[in-house]
mmCIF file of all heavy atoms in Angstrom:
data_model
loop_
_atom_site.group_PDB
_atom_site.id
_atom_site.type_symbol
_atom_site.label_atom_id
_atom_site.label_comp_id
_atom_site.label_asym_id
_atom_site.label_seq_id
_atom_site.Cartn_x
_atom_site.Cartn_y
_atom_site.Cartn_z
ATOM 1 N N HIS A 597 37.703 16.469 -3.231
ATOM 2 C CA HIS A 597 37.707 15.693 -1.982
ATOM 3 C C HIS A 597 36.705 16.259 -0.975
ATOM 4 O O HIS A 597 36.092 15.504 -0.210
ATOM 5 C CB HIS A 597 39.107 15.658 -1.374
ATOM 6 C CG HIS A 597 39.956 14.544 -1.925
ATOM 7 N ND1 HIS A 597 39.669 13.220 -1.694
ATOM 8 C CD2 HIS A 597 41.067 14.562 -2.701
ATOM 9 C CE1 HIS A 597 40.576 12.454 -2.292
ATOM 10 N NE2 HIS A 597 41.434 13.252 -2.925
ATOM 11 N N ALA A 598 36.540 17.590 -0.968
ATOM 12 C CA ALA A 598 35.546 18.191 -0.078
ATOM 13 C C ALA A 598 34.149 17.683 -0.430
ATOM 14 O O ALA A 598 33.343 17.350 0.455
ATOM 15 C CB ALA A 598 35.603 19.717 -0.177
ATOM 16 N N LEU A 599 33.872 17.598 -1.732
ATOM 17 C CA LEU A 599 32.586 17.070 -2.189
ATOM 18 C C LEU A 599 32.421 15.609 -1.782
ATOM 19 O O LEU A 599 31.356 15.201 -1.295
ATOM 20 C CB LEU A 599 32.479 17.223 -3.706
ATOM 21 C CG LEU A 599 31.219 16.640 -4.362
ATOM 22 C CD1 LEU A 599 29.978 17.358 -3.866
ATOM 23 C CD2 LEU A 599 31.318 16.721 -5.886
ATOM 24 N N ASN A 600 33.477 14.823 -1.948
ATOM 25 C CA ASN A 600 33.401 13.401 -1.613
ATOM 26 C C ASN A 600 33.245 13.196 -0.105
ATOM 27 O O ASN A 600 32.507 12.303 0.335
ATOM 28 C CB ASN A 600 34.657 12.678 -2.118
ATOM 29 C CG ASN A 600 34.486 11.168 -2.090
ATOM 30 O OD1 ASN A 600 33.419 10.633 -2.402
ATOM 31 N ND2 ASN A 600 35.542 10.466 -1.686
ATOM 32 N N ILE A 601 33.937 14.022 0.683
ATOM 33 C CA ILE A 601 33.794 13.932 2.138
ATOM 34 C C ILE A 601 32.354 14.221 2.538
ATOM 35 O O ILE A 601 31.753 13.491 3.341
ATOM 36 C CB ILE A 601 34.757 14.915 2.847
ATOM 37 C CG1 ILE A 601 36.203 14.457 2.692
ATOM 38 C CG2 ILE A 601 34.414 15.039 4.332
ATOM 39 C CD1 ILE A 601 37.222 15.471 3.181
ATOM 40 N N PHE A 602 31.805 15.309 1.973
ATOM 41 C CA PHE A 602 30.426 15.677 2.306
ATOM 42 C C PHE A 602 29.453 14.548 1.954
ATOM 43 O O PHE A 602 28.598 14.165 2.775
ATOM 44 C CB PHE A 602 30.045 16.954 1.559
ATOM 45 C CG PHE A 602 28.588 17.300 1.668
ATOM 46 C CD1 PHE A 602 28.069 17.820 2.842
ATOM 47 C CD2 PHE A 602 27.730 17.098 0.591
ATOM 48 C CE1 PHE A 602 26.711 18.130 2.949
ATOM 49 C CE2 PHE A 602 26.382 17.397 0.687
ATOM 50 C CZ PHE A 602 25.866 17.915 1.870
ATOM 51 N N LEU A 603 29.569 14.007 0.755
ATOM 52 C CA LEU A 603 28.659 12.944 0.325
ATOM 53 C C LEU A 603 28.858 11.674 1.141
ATOM 54 O O LEU A 603 27.890 10.983 1.486
ATOM 55 C CB LEU A 603 28.857 12.662 -1.165
ATOM 56 C CG LEU A 603 28.454 13.790 -2.120
ATOM 57 C CD1 LEU A 603 28.793 13.420 -3.559
ATOM 58 C CD2 LEU A 603 26.967 14.094 -1.994
ATOM 59 N N SER A 604 30.108 11.350 1.467
ATOM 60 C CA SER A 604 30.400 10.147 2.255
ATOM 61 C C SER A 604 29.826 10.265 3.661
ATOM 62 O O SER A 604 29.203 9.323 4.176
ATOM 63 C CB SER A 604 31.906 9.911 2.325
ATOM 64 O OG SER A 604 32.442 9.642 1.047
ATOM 65 N N LEU A 605 30.021 11.437 4.288
ATOM 66 C CA LEU A 605 29.506 11.637 5.648
ATOM 67 C C LEU A 605 27.982 11.650 5.655
ATOM 68 O O LEU A 605 27.360 11.069 6.550
ATOM 69 C CB LEU A 605 30.047 12.947 6.231
ATOM 70 C CG LEU A 605 31.558 13.027 6.460
ATOM 71 C CD1 LEU A 605 31.934 14.377 7.053
ATOM 72 C CD2 LEU A 605 32.037 11.905 7.376
ATOM 73 N N LEU A 606 27.400 12.309 4.661
ATOM 74 C CA LEU A 606 25.935 12.356 4.586
ATOM 75 C C LEU A 606 25.357 10.960 4.386
ATOM 76 O O LEU A 606 24.398 10.568 5.069
ATOM 77 C CB LEU A 606 25.513 13.274 3.432
ATOM 78 C CG LEU A 606 24.005 13.409 3.193
ATOM 79 C CD1 LEU A 606 23.332 14.045 4.400
ATOM 80 C CD2 LEU A 606 23.727 14.219 1.936
ATOM 81 N N SER A 607 25.956 10.201 3.481
ATOM 82 C CA SER A 607 25.465 8.844 3.230
ATOM 83 C C SER A 607 25.615 7.954 4.456
ATOM 84 O O SER A 607 24.692 7.207 4.807
ATOM 85 C CB SER A 607 26.225 8.228 2.051
ATOM 86 O OG SER A 607 26.032 8.976 0.879
ATOM 87 N N ALA A 608 26.768 8.053 5.104
ATOM 88 C CA ALA A 608 27.004 7.227 6.291
ATOM 89 C C ALA A 608 26.047 7.605 7.416
ATOM 90 O O ALA A 608 25.532 6.733 8.129
ATOM 91 C CB ALA A 608 28.453 7.385 6.757
ATOM 92 N N TYR A 609 25.791 8.905 7.570
ATOM 93 C CA TYR A 609 24.886 9.376 8.627
ATOM 94 C C TYR A 609 23.464 8.863 8.391
ATOM 95 O O TYR A 609 22.822 8.324 9.299
ATOM 96 C CB TYR A 609 24.891 10.902 8.654
ATOM 97 C CG TYR A 609 24.033 11.513 9.730
ATOM 98 C CD1 TYR A 609 24.448 11.551 11.054
ATOM 99 C CD2 TYR A 609 22.787 12.067 9.420
ATOM 100 C CE1 TYR A 609 23.664 12.115 12.036
ATOM 101 C CE2 TYR A 609 21.990 12.630 10.400
ATOM 102 C CZ TYR A 609 22.437 12.654 11.706
ATOM 103 O OH TYR A 609 21.645 13.220 12.685
ATOM 104 N N VAL A 610 22.995 8.994 7.159
ATOM 105 C CA VAL A 610 21.615 8.606 6.836
ATOM 106 C C VAL A 610 21.460 7.087 6.839
ATOM 107 O O VAL A 610 20.544 6.550 7.481
ATOM 108 C CB VAL A 610 21.204 9.186 5.462
ATOM 109 C CG1 VAL A 610 19.859 8.622 5.020
ATOM 110 C CG2 VAL A 610 21.151 10.707 5.525
ATOM 111 N N HIS A 611 22.358 6.383 6.145
ATOM 112 C CA HIS A 611 22.215 4.921 6.045
ATOM 113 C C HIS A 611 22.521 4.236 7.369
ATOM 114 O O HIS A 611 21.920 3.196 7.687
ATOM 115 C CB HIS A 611 23.114 4.378 4.937
ATOM 116 C CG HIS A 611 22.620 4.709 3.562
ATOM 117 N ND1 HIS A 611 21.596 4.025 2.951
ATOM 118 C CD2 HIS A 611 23.005 5.673 2.666
ATOM 119 C CE1 HIS A 611 21.364 4.541 1.761
ATOM 120 N NE2 HIS A 611 22.202 5.544 1.559
ATOM 121 N N GLY A 612 23.437 4.808 8.136
ATOM 122 C CA GLY A 612 23.702 4.255 9.470
ATOM 123 C C GLY A 612 22.475 4.360 10.350
ATOM 124 O O GLY A 612 22.118 3.406 11.074
ATOM 125 N N ALA A 613 21.806 5.515 10.309
ATOM 126 C CA ALA A 613 20.584 5.696 11.093
ATOM 127 C C ALA A 613 19.480 4.758 10.596
ATOM 128 O O ALA A 613 18.732 4.182 11.395
ATOM 129 C CB ALA A 613 20.125 7.152 11.006
ATOM 130 N N ARG A 614 19.398 4.592 9.287
ATOM 131 C CA ARG A 614 18.367 3.719 8.718
ATOM 132 C C ARG A 614 18.511 2.281 9.210
ATOM 133 O O ARG A 614 17.518 1.615 9.533
ATOM 134 C CB ARG A 614 18.465 3.791 7.184
ATOM 135 C CG ARG A 614 17.297 3.143 6.448
ATOM 136 C CD ARG A 614 17.663 1.779 5.944
ATOM 137 N NE ARG A 614 16.544 1.164 5.245
ATOM 138 C CZ ARG A 614 16.356 -0.139 5.200
ATOM 139 N NH1 ARG A 614 17.185 -0.957 5.812
ATOM 140 N NH2 ARG A 614 15.334 -0.642 4.543
ATOM 141 N N LEU A 615 19.744 1.793 9.289
ATOM 142 C CA LEU A 615 19.968 0.434 9.790
ATOM 143 C C LEU A 615 19.540 0.299 11.254
ATOM 144 O O LEU A 615 19.011 -0.748 11.657
ATOM 145 C CB LEU A 615 21.448 0.062 9.645
ATOM 146 C CG LEU A 615 21.945 -0.168 8.210
ATOM 147 C CD1 LEU A 615 23.453 -0.355 8.196
ATOM 148 C CD2 LEU A 615 21.250 -1.371 7.582
ATOM 149 N N GLN A 616 19.744 1.351 12.048
ATOM 150 C CA GLN A 616 19.335 1.294 13.453
ATOM 151 C C GLN A 616 17.813 1.298 13.559
ATOM 152 O O GLN A 616 17.224 0.519 14.320
ATOM 153 C CB GLN A 616 19.899 2.496 14.235
ATOM 154 C CG GLN A 616 21.377 2.768 14.067
ATOM 155 C CD GLN A 616 22.238 1.558 14.352
ATOM 156 O OE1 GLN A 616 22.069 0.865 15.346
ATOM 157 N NE2 GLN A 616 23.182 1.292 13.457
ATOM 158 N N TYR A 617 17.174 2.191 12.790
ATOM 159 C CA TYR A 617 15.729 2.374 12.929
ATOM 160 C C TYR A 617 14.934 1.193 12.398
ATOM 161 O O TYR A 617 13.966 0.762 13.032
ATOM 162 C CB TYR A 617 15.287 3.638 12.173
ATOM 163 C CG TYR A 617 15.896 4.921 12.696
ATOM 164 C CD1 TYR A 617 15.987 6.047 11.890
ATOM 165 C CD2 TYR A 617 16.383 5.005 13.997
ATOM 166 C CE1 TYR A 617 16.541 7.228 12.362
ATOM 167 C CE2 TYR A 617 16.940 6.178 14.468
ATOM 168 C CZ TYR A 617 17.024 7.291 13.647
ATOM 169 O OH TYR A 617 17.570 8.458 14.107
ATOM 170 N N VAL A 618 15.311 0.668 11.239
ATOM 171 C CA VAL A 618 14.498 -0.361 10.592
ATOM 172 C C VAL A 618 14.899 -1.758 11.055
ATOM 173 O O VAL A 618 14.075 -2.532 11.549
ATOM 174 C CB VAL A 618 14.605 -0.244 9.050
ATOM 175 C CG1 VAL A 618 13.780 -1.338 8.372
ATOM 176 C CG2 VAL A 618 14.139 1.132 8.592
ATOM 177 N N GLU A 619 16.167 -2.099 10.870
ATOM 178 C CA GLU A 619 16.607 -3.477 11.165
ATOM 179 C C GLU A 619 16.781 -3.738 12.670
ATOM 180 O O GLU A 619 16.481 -4.833 13.138
ATOM 181 C CB GLU A 619 17.936 -3.754 10.448
ATOM 182 C CG GLU A 619 17.786 -4.154 8.988
ATOM 183 C CD GLU A 619 17.371 -3.017 8.090
ATOM 184 O OE1 GLU A 619 17.771 -1.865 8.391
ATOM 185 O OE2 GLU A 619 16.667 -3.267 7.098
ATOM 186 N N TYR A 620 17.257 -2.734 13.416
ATOM 187 C CA TYR A 620 17.620 -2.955 14.823
ATOM 188 C C TYR A 620 16.466 -2.631 15.769
ATOM 189 O O TYR A 620 15.983 -3.490 16.513
ATOM 190 C CB TYR A 620 18.840 -2.099 15.138
ATOM 191 C CG TYR A 620 19.520 -2.384 16.461
ATOM 192 C CD1 TYR A 620 19.612 -3.658 16.973
ATOM 193 C CD2 TYR A 620 20.084 -1.336 17.190
ATOM 194 C CE1 TYR A 620 20.264 -3.910 18.173
ATOM 195 C CE2 TYR A 620 20.740 -1.567 18.395
ATOM 196 C CZ TYR A 620 20.823 -2.863 18.873
ATOM 197 O OH TYR A 620 21.466 -3.093 20.073
ATOM 198 N N PHE A 621 15.986 -1.378 15.733
ATOM 199 C CA PHE A 621 14.925 -0.964 16.651
ATOM 200 C C PHE A 621 13.654 -1.777 16.432
ATOM 201 O O PHE A 621 12.874 -1.978 17.367
ATOM 202 C CB PHE A 621 14.617 0.515 16.464
ATOM 203 C CG PHE A 621 15.611 1.433 17.137
ATOM 204 C CD1 PHE A 621 16.721 0.937 17.788
ATOM 205 C CD2 PHE A 621 15.430 2.810 17.100
ATOM 206 C CE1 PHE A 621 17.644 1.779 18.398
ATOM 207 C CE2 PHE A 621 16.332 3.672 17.713
ATOM 208 C CZ PHE A 621 17.444 3.153 18.356
#
Side-chain angles (χ1 to χ4, degrees):
H597 274 293
L599 176 63
N600 193 39
I601 290 171
F602 171 74
L603 293 176
S604 296
L605 295 181
L606 179 63
S607 299
Y609 182 77
V610 171
H611 288 281
R614 191 259 180 210
L615 289 173
Q616 310 307 313
Y617 298 158
V618 179
E619 278 72 32
Y620 191 36
F621 281 3

